[in-house]
Amino acid sequence: RYTGGLKTKSVFTNISHWFLHRSGGIAGGGLFEYQRNTAKHVLPIAVVFLGKTVLSNISFAYAVMPMYMISRIAVIPLTLILTAILLRQQHSIQTMSAAIIATLNLLMTSIRSGERDPWESVVAGVSSSLFVALYPILLLRGYRQLVSDLVPQGDLLSVTDSHGPSVSTGTKEETRAYWRVLHYTSSLTIAMLIPFVIISGELKQINRNCYFLDVPWFWFLMSCASLGGFGIFCSFLLLVKATSPLSANFVSLPRSVFQIVVLSKFKMPAHSWVGAGLCVLSCMWYCLARIRDGRGRS
């Protein structure tokens, strides 16, 4: 009984620290941590993340998977351009060639004769391409800015070098900046998304038209999707740090080919199979090019 009382007391103590003393939580400042300077740095990331998520969902809602991929085919070329402008990264000829050729092969895989894409899907997909290309770039820049704000002046960290690759030194400042980026991005995105949901009237439409809200299997699938989305959201910054914004977006190419093949039930035209095979080979070429670039820098 005494041990149970101590455990209960420690739980209430931790909760009180989170709410009253602003300690603990995912970002170290309590459950409702909010700092204006940090929010200013993360706000562009949250806006881009909101646009990427909303527009991608709208595009996919009005189109089948191949047409959805075609409307977002410009993600990799835009990432190449934006990383060169915003991060001043110089990509090798092999890397750029592999990325462009893999994109063209994905386009070949997605083309279907006789299928038309609604204009809502085209507009939303093309618009979301810019947000998808910007997201890992702003995510990396925001993370570096938060690290520089937390690190005392005079300390030298590799993350302050915007021209070279991001190398983690394992400091407490980097860890806290990592969780702060995730905390503020998710919080600000939810705060901006709630008014859109209320104004659009989607809650009333869901209540009237969705007759499966009381089905346990539906909520099980939603829970699995939520866990998957949470894992991707938390690990995406790690992928950007370990590789680059271009590589983080390039991962979507082989994934898209796999999705098209599976959702088509392995029934595709001959040119789509050729495009899928060439896209996989181009992805392997890209990996080899990135390995050579890493060896050359080291």
Side-chain angles (χ1 to χ4, degrees):
R1 292 180 181 178
Y2 183 71
T3 304
L6 289 178
K7 291 182 179 179
T8 305
K9 184 177 179 180
S10 63
V11 171
F12 282 107
T13 302
N14 293 332
I15 294 176
S16 64
H17 275 290
W18 288 355
F19 282 95
L20 300 178
H21 302 284
R22 296 183 178 181
S23 63
I26 189 173
L31 292 178
F32 302 102
E33 175 186 349
Y34 180 80
Q35 297 179 0
R36 290 186 178 180
N37 292 332
T38 305
K40 289 180 181 179
H41 295 321
V42 183
L43 182 60
I45 306 174
V47 173
V48 170
F49 182 71
L50 176 64
K52 161 180 115 68
T53 304
V54 173
L55 293 175
S56 298
N57 288 333
I58 293 175
S59 178
F60 188 66
Y62 289 96
V64 294
M65 180 61 71
M67 297 296 104
Y68 170 73
M69 296 301 176
I70 292 177
S71 64
R72 288 160 45 94
I73 203 65
V75 171
I76 299 302
L78 286 175
T79 306
L80 284 170
I81 297 173
L82 293 175
T83 50
I85 296 175
L86 299 179
L87 297 180
R88 298 180 182 179
Q89 290 183 351
Q90 296 180 356
H91 304 289
S92 64
I93 297 178
Q94 292 83 0
T95 299
M96 291 187 294
S97 300
I100 296 300
I101 292 175
T103 303
L104 294 177
N105 288 322
L106 176 61
L107 177 63
M108 184 188 302
T109 307
S110 305
I111 292 177
R112 297 290 187 274
S113 59
E115 292 186 0
R116 295 183 179 180
D117 206 1
W119 68 269
E120 296 92 344
S121 177
V122 175
V123 174
V126 173
S127 302
S128 67
S129 300
L130 178 61
F131 291 98
V132 174
L134 270 174
Y135 178 61
I137 299 173
L138 295 184
L139 194 65
L140 184 60
R141 293 184 63 179
Y143 165 78
R144 289 173 175 173
Q145 183 63 45
L146 293 186
V147 171
S148 64
D149 291 342
L150 292 172
V151 174
Q153 294 184 358
D155 290 354
L156 181 62
L157 287 178
S158 61
V159 292
T160 58
D161 184 12
S162 60
H163 300 280
S166 176
V167 180
S168 176
T169 58
T171 62
K172 295 181 179 179
E173 289 81 7
E174 288 180 324
T175 303
R176 186 169 185 180
Y178 173 84
W179 292 112
R180 272 191 171 184
V181 170
L182 300 181
H183 172 71
Y184 280 86
T185 301
S186 59
S187 301
L188 293 175
T189 303
I190 292 173
M192 290 185 292
L193 185 60
I194 289 176
F196 287 100
V197 176
I198 297 175
I199 295 174
S200 63
E202 289 187 358
L203 294 177
K204 294 181 179 179
Q205 295 180 5
I206 292 173
N207 189 25
R208 293 177 181 178
N209 300 326
C210 296
Y211 302 101
F212 44 82
L213 297 178
D214 57 344
V215 179
W217 179 250
F218 168 76
W219 291 109
F220 172 75
L221 294 179
M222 292 296 295
S223 300
C224 294
S226 301
L227 291 175
F230 175 77
I232 294 174
F233 178 75
C234 292
S235 59
F236 189 75
L237 179 56
L238 291 177
L239 179 62
V240 174
K241 287 176 54 183
T243 56
S244 66
L246 175 61
S247 298
N249 279 339
F250 187 84
V251 174
S252 63
L253 293 185
R255 182 195 65 193
S256 300
V257 171
F258 176 77
Q259 290 175 341
I260 291 175
V261 172
V262 172
L263 293 179
S264 299
K265 299 180 180 180
F266 299 92
K267 297 179 180 179
M268 298 192 305
H271 70 272
S272 296
W273 282 110
V274 173
L278 293 177
C279 185
V280 173
L281 293 177
S282 300
C283 293
M284 297 173 62
W285 179 20
Y286 177 86
C287 293
L288 293 176
R290 295 296 295 175
I291 292 173
R292 292 177 182 175
D293 293 342
R295 290 177 179 175
R297 291 176 182 175
S298 61

